[in-house]
Amino acid sequence: MEAFWISTVAIFVAELGDKSQLMAMTFATRFKAWIVILGITVATAVVHLLSVALGGLVGDWLPTTAISIVAGLAFLGFAAWTLRGDELTEEESKKAQRTTRNALIAVTVAFFLSELGDKTMLATITLATRYDDWVGTWIGSTVGMVAADALAILVGRLLGKHLPEKAIRYGAAAAFAVFGVILLVEAFL
């Protein structure tokens, strides 16, 4: 259960202020929220399963101390990445708005492609190198991502464009930095 809970929280935080949340809000203006959430869930489950598999392979080859150091530095990098912010490109925004065919397929494919190489994918790989429980890491990271995107859809519908984007970005960056420092301290103790 430890891998599940840590993965859920870490990926939830990683997703705050990410372009995937912006995509979720954009899709939710055109399609029913449950279709958008289902598409996000399918895409995330597949991407994070691949991430956990890759992280499990890498984790088996590296010593524990090296994994903790790399993971700690990665989380500090994620903190910096989060501070930089993420925005939808004009092309991504137009694609989300003009898609009218099968909404579920459109949302699933868009999220799958946008998550490849994204910080949540890299964070999931990093978490998988730390924990032997690949199922807990996979399900936890998927739940964390879907929860963050569902929250974005809900808040976006309730508050529109009055979201404190800067505060969300700073809070998520701080949480990543804390995770990074904890991992580095653990490595050297």
Side-chain angles (χ1 to χ4, degrees), residues 16-170:
L16 295 177
D18 193 69
K19 72 177 177 183
S20 300
Q21 284 191 312
L22 299 173
M23 283 179 59
M25 283 190 262
T26 302
F27 276 124
T29 63
R30 297 202 28 102
F31 308 122
K32 294 181 181 184
W34 72 268
I35 290 174
V36 176
I37 292 170
L38 182 60
I40 292 168
T41 303
V42 170
T44 301
V46 172
V47 170
H48 288 201
L49 182 60
L50 296 172
S51 302
V52 167
L54 182 59
L57 289 173
V58 171
D60 288 343
W61 295 336
L62 295 174
T64 307
T65 302
I67 290 171
S68 291
I69 292 169
V70 169
L73 293 173
F75 274 93
L76 290 175
F78 298 149
W81 188 349
T82 300
L83 275 177
R84 187 194 84 204
D86 233 349
E87 294 180 6
L88 283 178
T89 65
E90 194 172 315
E91 180 183 326
E92 289 170 326
S93 184
K94 285 180 182 176
K95 186 185 293 183
Q97 289 181 358
R98 74 173 174 255
T99 302
T100 55
R101 284 185 245 158
N102 189 327
L104 180 59
I105 292 172
V107 172
T108 302
V109 169
F111 271 87
F112 178 82
L113 294 175
S114 74
E115 285 306 304
L116 295 177
D118 194 55
K119 68 183 168 190
T120 50
M121 179 184 181
L122 299 174
T124 301
I125 292 169
T126 302
L127 289 164
T129 64
R130 291 266 305 145
Y131 298 99
D132 291 332
D133 180 8
W134 71 269
V135 173
T137 302
W138 173 48
I139 293 172
S141 65
T142 301
V143 167
M145 175 117 168
V146 172
D149 288 339
L151 178 65
I153 291 168
L154 178 67
V155 171
R157 286 187 169 205
L158 293 176
L159 299 178
K161 296 195 180 236
H162 302 291
L163 300 174
E165 192 175 317
K166 199 177 226 180
I168 291 171
R169 188 178 331 139
Y170 289 155

